[in-house]
Amino acid sequence: MLAIFHKAFAHPPEELNSPASHKSSKKPKLPEETLNEFLSHHPHNTFSMSFANAAVLAYVRPESPYLVHQRLFCGVDDIYCLFLGSLNNLCMLNRQYGLSKGSNEAMFVIEAYRTLRDRGPYPADQVVKDLDGSFAFVIYDSKAGTVFTALGSDGGVKLYWGIAADGSVVISDDLDVIKEGCAKSFAPFPTGFMFHSEQGLMSFEHPMNKIRAMPRVDSEGMICGANFKVDVYTRVNSIPRVGSETNWTHWESH
């Protein structure tokens, strides 16, 4: 899967953007170049959607229904989800959110996001922490211009992100596409973390701890983005809101 978001709509950590990208022989590419490369890797079974200059979503249809990690794409009421992996407790989650038994993981994630956005009955980190399985997902709310991404904590699914030549954020499970499109400005998306375009990056396993960026150095000795870790010794000072008072606008209170 591939998702690209204009820098005006997604605001990733500054440490992800390496100055070495513009000094090395291999320069980062523009979003349309990265999209074309991704499509060329999968010429016969790829689907993509563009949202003016705001976003691009691309999805590779599975060639077999028996893949270890399923790939799903879904759109409901201007909310779009790319999902990779599976949830072991999907049936329970569907019942909890009032969805039909036939709803897949992408449908559920959209409903969970919409519930958080509109009503906020639970802290966002708790909702994601309740997902049992190996998973990665990217949500784009085209009406609100919001991006929401999360990666499971078990490491069963890999996800990467980086910065394109124009500052856009590139997210994909295809490491080669990320390397080619973002040059030195990329890193693995941290396991057990979630990213919201307005509220930033946080650990859904340790929401009360601050995040520390650790510079990544490649074999050439060049800084190549950053790894993000939980700072176990530093906690956020404020007390997070709970219950019905919690919604996206209070993410930063963690």
Side-chain angles (χ1 to χ4, degrees), residues 52 80 90 136 148 179 183:
Y80 300 88
L90 178 62
F148 179 41
K179 284 182 175 180

Side-chain angles (χ1 to χ4, degrees), residues 141-212:
D141 183 339
S142 61
K143 275 190 175 179
T146 299
V147 179
F148 179 41
T149 303
L151 178 63
S153 57
D154 69 351
V157 173
K158 305 297 183 184
L159 195 66
Y160 307 91
W161 61 343
I163 307 298
D166 66 347
S168 294
V169 183
V170 184
I171 304 172
S172 179
D173 63 323
D174 190 327
L175 178 57
D176 291 336
V177 168
I178 289 285
K179 284 182 175 180
E180 288 298 318
C182 304
K184 300 293 185 181
S185 295
F186 79 95
F189 193 93
T191 56
F193 276 63
M194 59 185 188
F195 170 76
H196 186 272
S197 53
E198 294 301 324
Q199 310 304 339
L201 183 70
M202 71 175 291
S203 166
F204 59 77
E205 293 189 305
H206 305 281
M208 293 302 296
N209 289 84
K210 290 186 176 182
I211 306 304
R212 175 177 294 179

Side-chain angles (χ1 to χ4, degrees), residues 87-106:
L87 299 177
N88 301 324
N89 58 341
L90 178 62
C91 291
M92 182 196 74
L93 293 168
N94 281 340
R95 287 196 301 271
Q96 181 181 341
Y97 283 79
L99 296 173
S100 67
K101 291 182 179 179
S103 298
N104 62 31
E105 283 87 345

Side-chain angles (χ1 to χ4, degrees), residues 209-231:
N209 289 84
K210 290 186 176 182
I211 306 304
R212 175 177 294 179
M214 309 294 290
R216 297 174 66 243
V217 179
D218 65 11
S219 58
E220 299 174 351
M222 304 285 283
I223 294 178
C224 184
N227 289 320
F228 298 91
K229 306 287 185 181
V230 173
D231 187 342

Side-chain angles (χ1 to χ4, degrees), residues 63-92:
E63 297 178 356
S64 167
Y66 305 108
L67 293 174
V68 175
H69 298 303
Q70 63 179 340
R71 296 193 296 265
L72 302 169
F73 176 79
C74 183
V76 179
D77 295 337
D78 299 309
I79 304 171
Y80 300 88
C81 177
L82 292 164
F83 186 96
L84 179 64
S86 60
L87 299 177
N88 301 324
N89 58 341
L90 178 62
C91 291
M92 182 196 74

